[in-house]
Amino acid sequence: MIWKRHPIIKNSKEIEILRRANGILMEILFTIKEEVKPGKCTYEFEEMALELCEKKKVIPAFKGYRGYPYALCVSVNEEIVHGMPRRDKVLKEGDIVSFDFGVIYEGYVGDAAITVGVGTISSIAERLLKTTEEALYLAIEKARIGNKIGDISYAIQSRAEREGFSVIRDFVGHGVGRSLHEPPEIPNYGKPGRGPKLEAGMVLAIEPMVAVGSHEVKILEDGWTAVTKDGSLSAHFEHSVAITPSGPLILSSL
Ligand code: MF3
Ligand code: CO
């Protein structure tokens, strides 16, 4: 099958649609976040996501994507990404849970992720969340015309490693637009000044995944859920960001 390629440079009209797609996505994500508490199973959030997509007239972008069966990815503790919602996976106090979500609005894809604590979490978990989110914002700061993808990658890696944590290498950020995954790839590790040049009109899904222990990954028998091989905690934050003449524009903000 030949996949239709989409131009990686978007005009201001397209960026406006992507901003709306991501805005609706974030409304849903924060409604879900409000419901995080001990005793909830991860499938309840899938049900919420589906319901809210219907209400807000957007299409879940992940459901059916390369055979992924759900609207939402819900990854708990050592799960890094692509955790499948489950009735028998129940949240408990001290867990950290990441929600990765995508919607299609007027033919354009919004993509973002957050990680939140369940009740009171350990100080190491707290530090992991703070570090991963900070890495994302430091990376966004590099999403400027004339910079390179490597500048984004390096910002993420250096922030995570300064804390003694490691960045996951098996998954990357990406361009996003009419398709969920467009060029260029954005590794979460790399060297400044390397890789493709950033241009006005690029829209990038920047998504650091950070683990307390080693960066090695294992995929569970369900074929999707990616976990840390050493069982250490992992966090994930993602924003869709447009590169504009006036600097980085976070599309996935409320
Ligand atoms: N948000 C994730 C990404 O950016 C992906 C979801 S993969 C899917 O790559 F298969 F679940 F859709
Ligand atoms: Co993404």
Side-chain angles (χ1 to χ4, degrees), residues 97-110:
V97 53
S98 67
F99 298 100
D100 189 354
F101 190 39
V103 305
I104 307 171
Y105 168 79
E106 289 186 10
Y108 287 81
V109 182

Side-chain angles (χ1 to χ4, degrees), residues 61-73 81-82 100-102 110-113 171-174 180-181 205 207 209 224 236 238:
F62 299 171
K63 199 174 162 74
Y65 184 83
R66 297 187 182 192
Y68 184 74
Y70 302 107
L72 199 61
C73 298
V81 285
H82 305 164
D100 189 354
F101 190 39
D111 186 14
F171 301 97
V172 295
H174 51 93
L180 174 60
H181 293 142
E207 47 181 318
M209 289 148 260
W224 280 97
H236 179 208
E238 176 177 24

Side-chain angles (χ1 to χ4, degrees), residues 18 70 121 184 218:
L18 282 161
Y70 302 107
I121 61 175
K218 192 173 73 179

